Amino acid sequence: MAGMISVDSQLTFHIRNSHYSYAMQLLDGRFLAHLYWGPPLVRIDPETIFTPRRAPYLTAIPLGSDVGEGSAEGFGRPCVGAPRTGAASPATEALRQEDAIAAPEAERRGAFSLDLLPQEYPAWGTGEQREGAFRVLFADGTEAARLEYLEHETVEGPREPELMGLIRGDHDLGTVETLRIRLGDPRGELTVDLFYLVAEESAVLLRWARFSNSGGEPLTIRDPASSSVDLPPGAYDLVRLGGAWGRERHLLRTPLAFGRHAVGSRGGATGHQSTPFLAVCEPGAGETKGTVYAVSLGYSGNFQAVCDVDQYDVPRLSIGINRLRGHLEPGESLETPVALLVQSEAGFGAVSNTFHEFARSGVIASRWREEPRKVIINSWEAMYFQVNEKNVTALAKEGRAIGAELLVLDDGWFSGRRDDTTSLGDWWPNEARFPRGLRPVAEAVRREGLEFGIWMEPEMVSPASELYKAHPDWALQIAGRENTLARSQLILDLSNREVREHLFSTVSGLLEESGATYVKWDMNRNMSEVGSLAHPAHRQGEVMHRYMLGLYELLGRLTEAFPEVLFEGCAGGGGRFDFGMMRFSPRFWTSDQSDAVERLEIQYGTTMLFPPETIGSHVSSVPNHQVGRTTPAETRVLTALPFSYGFELDPRKEPESDREIFRSGALRYRELRDRFFGARFSRLLGPLAGSAECRRIEGGGGGETAWMLVAERELFVFYYRPLVRANYEPRRLRLPGLRDGAVYRDRETGLRYDGALLRSRGLMVEPSLGDYQARFWHLELQEGEVT
Ligand code: GLA
């Protein structure tokens, strides 16, 4: 589908594919106004979408064509080469007519307020009360800016953002087109390019911005948003992912009221507490119905996502980088990360599947796009820091017996590391534990039939380490200020090229030495006193961002040099799970929380954005190490099964009967994973699926959760009931999207189900007694068509 971007003579911009339309128009030949984001429109007639209006007491900008170029007031002056459109746009005309009727005499010459305008990329300083998309500090110490149209161009084919190409050159998104619209401040010192990337095969619209210093003095840009959109006025709910260590990505939904609502991070990583995601939906929207507007960000550092609801109930939804103070010398530019925008009229399920498909076909490296994830056995919860050649080899042997295919040697293998207080940075094998080095243990693991993987935390350094002794200047720090420790460690300054070179050769050396095909790339603390000895004072406000660019560069080099190595993303569990890291990490350690019940809520929320095969889920021992809960082996297996399956236990310490359940779980996963992989995921029951009221009526509660994967001709339904409740009707799980005329057969019981019945009445869950229940159905299409 070529020609996805069209621009008419009035400078009405229409971006359209078969999934959505996104439109903007130019008002008064200067101001870029947002018009529409929603289901695809055949044509854009601005006057049928948006009526500019005026309210008393707001700041007013005279209409340029009324005042004329070079007028005494100075308005209407063309901004650095801005072409003027001949005829006024219908919206400008409407403003004028409205003036003639309603405005007091003094204003009748024509004026309108930017505070009322759904600005496409709002600046601050012309009277707006709402959040602007960025802040600028000019050399004269002032901050007021105004952005006016200068030019635009449409580029066919992929045009990757220069600094952070979110989508890969070898993407499967079909034809791709990019629109660039250049805006400029009338004083000529600042230009802002807005980018819009539309892909034929995706309902995701990508947006980002580039700031350039087009003047003769330095200027500073603060916290530029990658995207800002004014939504239609109305009543909405706000949905976000909040959390903590061990409780990542819990879905939260609240009514959206007047004011500014923000989530974000400031510690140099996406963080456990929040995820780059914010959605605004109709109050009645659910998993399968209702209008939803959602944004995410392809970035792993500080972010902020804001929904600012103004006095007229217009929500302004924006997302971008946080705590960046970018210094631009004349001629220099700064590009923001890439925002992902998804809109749907079919609820959150459609939004999630759009994100999943985009991740699969645009973000994840093609090498891993169709490669089933291996069953992992990880040494962490099995033996924590007590790893050595003998017990790791034994773990491999026992792991293989329960179906594992890859062993990850976690923390504790290097230099003097016995606990978390020392040795980060000294990435050589501990002589007492691995006297012959890593190669023999890696080979022993391989002889047992498993691949070998290794844990590292390359971005960190312990003050008690050889590396720190040799290069104290390599840690992030501020001269004269004490460094705050977290987990007894400091962070290396990845904005420093020398540090990156060192890490590249250290990690490469280890991979070559051990032949590892898997790296668990961990990052266990956030930044505190942020400063870099490698940069001058005026660059210190960029250090966190330069760190992130340095990390991406390092991971880019490593993944290119070792294409067969899977780099798992980890940050104290799921503290850096985002689309930015996904370019390098096709799998994440979702959470240090391995309890099956806690995992339900974490995984439920994580699927809002990320496809199941990227969500690492390991069966662990009981009583669970994080919460002390004892759940049945079968429940632990079924909680992990549809995700990226593995083990976080020492099979030698497990009862024989449980080992058999773990093994059959692994074999089942190995049999089904190519179908899980790429499946359409539906959340059936959980925090969003049932309001408190609906739970009371339907008899749910007790943490009930259910999801379904649909792959070609098969359905996989999972149901979990952590707490049993007395005297309720059996639960019926309504399976969305099944066609009339379709007939499914249960592989285990042979029962035949009508697709329309499963959709309208639901799959009946036989009641049974006892807590921590989990059920699984594998249904095959017998007649009719799939969803
Ligand atoms: C982090 C990770 C864990 C484990 C430990 C090792 O907490 O999330 O899985 O690797 O570090 O110290």
Side-chain angles (χ1 to χ4, degrees):
M1 183 176 179
M4 293 180 285
I5 297 171
S6 58
V7 187
D8 72 12
S9 61
Q10 305 272 329
L11 293 186
T12 301
F13 300 87
H14 186 186
I15 302 167
R16 176 180 189 266
N17 65 12
S18 57
H19 306 279
Y20 63 84
S21 279
Y22 186 99
M24 296 155 270
Q25 79 176 129
L26 208 61
L27 279 183
D28 196 32
R30 294 184 285 175
F31 299 107
L32 191 62
H34 178 74
L35 266 183
Y36 177 82
W37 175 30
L41 301 181
V42 178
R43 47 181 284 122
I44 297 289
D45 290 310
E47 57 270 41
T48 64
I49 301 174
F50 163 66
T51 309
R53 63 193 181 83
R54 172 135 347 118
Y57 306 115
L58 294 180
T59 49
I61 293 180
L63 288 169
S65 35
D66 275 4
V67 187
E69 292 188 7
S71 71
E73 290 89 342
F75 289 105
R77 191 161 47 89
C79 53
V80 247
R84 285 285 181 192
T85 49
S89 70
T92 308
E93 205 44 58
L95 278 169
R96 238 178 243 140
Q97 283 165 15
E98 194 190 318
D99 271 343
I101 304 161
E105 184 60 32
E107 288 180 23
R108 199 165 287 172
R109 289 166 57 254
F112 70 105
S113 169
L114 289 182
D115 205 23
L116 278 176
L117 191 73
Q119 295 182 63
E120 181 60 18
Y121 196 75
W124 176 87
T126 43
E128 301 90 331
Q129 297 297 318
R130 287 183 292 169
E131 181 86 347
F134 65 101
R135 287 180 66 183
V136 58
L137 178 66
F138 292 106
D140 65 3
T142 63
E143 294 195 16
R146 185 196 286 184
L147 294 183
E148 301 186 1
Y149 171 83
L150 291 176
E151 58 167 36
H152 73 272
E153 68 169 336
T154 300
V155 184
E156 278 188 29
R159 185 254 171 225
E160 292 198 20
E162 274 139 36
L163 295 180
M164 280 167 280
L166 178 67
I167 60 169
R168 303 193 151 258
D170 59 356
H171 65 79
D172 295 325
L173 297 165
T175 308
V176 165
E177 289 174 16
T178 306
L179 169 66
R180 179 179 66 81
I181 303 178
R182 174 163 293 180
L183 309 175
D185 185 85
R187 295 205 316 189
E189 294 145 275
L190 173 68
T191 56
V192 181
D193 289 298
L194 303 181
F195 294 92
Y196 302 81
L197 186 146
V198 52
E200 183 184 11
E201 304 286 342
S202 178
V204 177
L205 169 68
L206 297 183
R207 279 189 64 179
W208 66 102
R210 184 172 60 209
F211 288 76
S212 304
N213 183 341
S214 44
E217 300 286 336
L219 55 83
T220 305
I221 299 294
R222 285 205 181 152
D223 298 345
S226 304
S227 167
S228 170
V229 189
D230 283 15
L231 302 174
Y236 293 102
D237 284 354
L238 189 67
V239 176
R240 60 205 117 153
L241 292 164
W245 174 88
R247 288 191 277 112
E248 294 91 335
R249 287 172 297 283
H250 285 194
L251 264 179
L252 301 168
R253 179 171 179 162
T254 48
L256 180 61
F258 171 78
R260 187 172 182 272
H261 311 266
V263 292
S265 66
R266 292 164 199 87
T270 43
H272 293 97
Q273 293 86 347
S274 54
T275 292
F277 167 75
L278 204 56
V280 169
C281 67
E282 291 179 312
E287 284 297 325
T288 55
K289 65 175 171 52
T291 296
V292 182
Y293 302 92
V295 290
S296 186
L297 193 67
Y299 191 59
S300 317
N302 299 325
F303 77 95
Q304 61 179 338
V306 180
C307 188
D308 196 357
V309 184
D310 77 1
Q311 54 195 328
Y312 304 109
D313 295 330
V314 173
R316 173 171 284 172
L317 182 61
S318 68
I319 193 161
I321 199 165
N322 197 7
R323 290 207 80 92
L324 168 69
R325 198 181 70 242
H327 176 90
L328 294 184
E329 290 290 332
E332 283 187 340
S333 297
L334 169 76
E335 200 150 292
T336 70
V338 177
L340 298 87
L341 283 72
V342 176
Q343 189 275 350
S344 167
E345 288 180 297
F348 286 95
V351 167
S352 293
N353 278 289
T354 294
F355 280 122
H356 296 183
E357 282 161 22
F358 184 78
R360 287 165 176 156
S361 46
V363 184
I364 292 171
S366 53
R367 165 70 181 80
W368 304 107
R369 233 168 258 166
E370 283 173 15
E371 176 87 9
R373 307 287 182 264
K374 298 266 171 5
V375 176
I376 287 169
I377 183 150
N378 185 294
S379 66
W380 182 239
E381 287 196 27
M383 35 193 74
Y384 292 101
F385 291 100
Q386 313 309 319
V387 286
N388 59 42
E389 190 177 322
K390 194 161 158 250
N391 65 15
V392 170
T393 309
L395 187 66
K397 191 181 172 63
E398 296 298 321
R400 183 191 158 92
I402 58 167
E405 299 164 294
L406 191 152
L407 177 138
V408 177
L409 171 55
D410 209 289
D411 204 347
W413 60 266
F414 52 98
S415 92
R417 183 87 162 171
R418 279 184 194 79
D419 54 32
D420 63 9
T421 60
T422 71
S423 309
L424 295 170
D426 298 346
W427 301 109
W428 53 82
N430 176 297
E431 279 176 21
R433 295 169 171 199
F434 300 94
R436 303 183 300 146
L438 279 186
R439 188 186 286 267
V441 69
E443 276 168 4
V445 168
R446 286 192 279 268
R447 269 197 305 279
E448 295 296 344
L450 277 76
E451 289 181 35
F452 179 75
I454 193 149
W455 175 95
M456 286 188 81
E457 203 180 348
E459 299 162 65
M460 298 291 152
V461 63
S462 306
S465 68
E466 297 299 319
L467 183 71
Y468 189 68
K469 252 185 251 158
H471 299 285
D473 55 317
W474 278 7
L476 288 175
Q477 59 194 279
I478 300 175
R481 195 174 288 285
E482 193 184 339
N483 249 331
T484 306
L485 293 176
R487 216 189 186 209
S488 305
Q489 62 202 53
L490 296 171
I491 305 185
L492 289 173
D493 178 5
L494 267 72
S495 74
N496 181 344
R497 178 167 296 281
E498 226 188 323
V499 174
R500 299 200 296 272
E501 287 306 323
H502 168 78
L503 291 178
F504 181 78
S505 62
T506 306
V507 178
S508 303
L510 266 168
L511 293 179
E512 276 155 15
E513 156 78 11
S514 63
T517 50
Y518 197 95
V519 174
K520 180 176 174 186
W521 184 289
D522 207 344
M523 195 284 292
N524 276 313
R525 68 157 291 182
N526 283 334
M527 297 179 188
S528 47
E529 294 74 17
V530 181
S532 164
L533 300 185
H535 298 291
H538 63 276
R539 295 284 175 210
Q540 294 300 319
E542 299 165 4
V543 169
M544 290 165 118
H545 182 51
R546 286 176 177 269
Y547 177 100
M548 204 44 67
L549 298 180
L551 174 65
Y552 288 159
E553 183 209 90
L554 175 63
L555 284 167
R557 280 177 73 191
L558 284 167
T559 48
E560 209 176 303
F562 298 93
E564 299 307 313
V565 175
L566 189 149
F567 286 77
E568 179 185 54
C570 178
R576 202 166 58 185
F577 198 152
D578 54 69
F579 287 114
M581 285 304 280
M582 197 174 278
R583 279 176 289 164
F584 314 102
S585 298
R587 181 199 209 254
F588 288 82
W589 183 225
T590 311
S591 177
D592 278 344
Q593 177 61 260
S594 66
D595 171 66
V597 175
E598 290 285 321
R599 271 294 181 126
L600 292 178
E601 196 159 0
I602 294 169
Q603 292 170 181
Y604 188 93
T606 304
T607 62
M608 178 55 76
L609 288 173
F610 308 118
E613 66 271 12
T614 63
I615 299 174
S617 190
H618 292 178
V619 174
S620 65
S621 197
V622 288
N624 174 268
H625 296 189
Q626 293 81 42
V627 293
R629 186 180 284 123
T630 298
T631 50
E634 179 73 14
T635 298
R636 281 174 274 154
V637 164
L638 288 181
T639 304
L641 194 66
F643 301 95
S644 184
Y645 188 86
F647 298 109
E648 199 74 29
L649 48 77
D650 186 343
R652 291 172 298 178
K653 299 182 189 148
E654 299 296 318
E656 178 57 40
S657 53
D658 284 1
R659 280 215 301 268
E660 190 41 45
I661 294 171
F662 300 152
R663 194 179 102 84
S664 59
L667 296 183
R668 186 180 254 175
Y669 172 78
R670 286 161 64 167
E671 180 205 338
L672 299 178
R673 65 183 157 195
D674 63 329
R675 262 134 318 144
F676 291 164
F677 204 115
R680 192 176 166 82
F681 192 89
S682 297
R683 290 174 296 267
L684 305 177
L685 261 185
L688 266 189
S691 65
E693 182 62 10
C694 136
R695 282 183 185 174
R696 194 176 65 73
I697 294 164
E698 292 185 6
E704 261 188 307
T705 306
W707 38 63
M708 169 175 78
L709 291 87
V710 181
E712 302 274 316
R713 302 171 62 81
E714 289 164 88
L715 304 183
F716 305 95
V717 183
F718 295 82
Y719 168 81
Y720 313 89
R721 178 164 218 154
L723 293 182
V724 73
R725 307 188 74 196
N727 194 20
Y728 275 109
E729 270 290 287
R731 161 63 73 193
R732 289 180 176 82
L733 297 171
R734 291 174 62 182
L735 310 184
L738 306 193
R739 293 260 180 104
D740 291 350
V743 175
Y744 291 88
R745 182 179 167 276
D746 185 323
R747 274 245 301 220
E748 208 174 297
T749 62
L751 276 176
R752 285 158 62 88
Y753 292 96
D754 194 305
L757 182 87
L758 291 175
R759 190 186 70 232
S760 61
R761 294 289 173 87
L763 177 67
M764 200 133 55
V765 184
E766 295 293 321
S768 57
L769 296 182
D771 288 340
Y772 313 131
Q773 295 173 23
R775 302 281 301 276
F776 168 63
W777 295 260
H778 180 175
L779 307 179
E780 282 170 330
L781 187 75
Q782 296 272 289
E783 291 167 32
E785 284 176 53
V786 249
T787 56

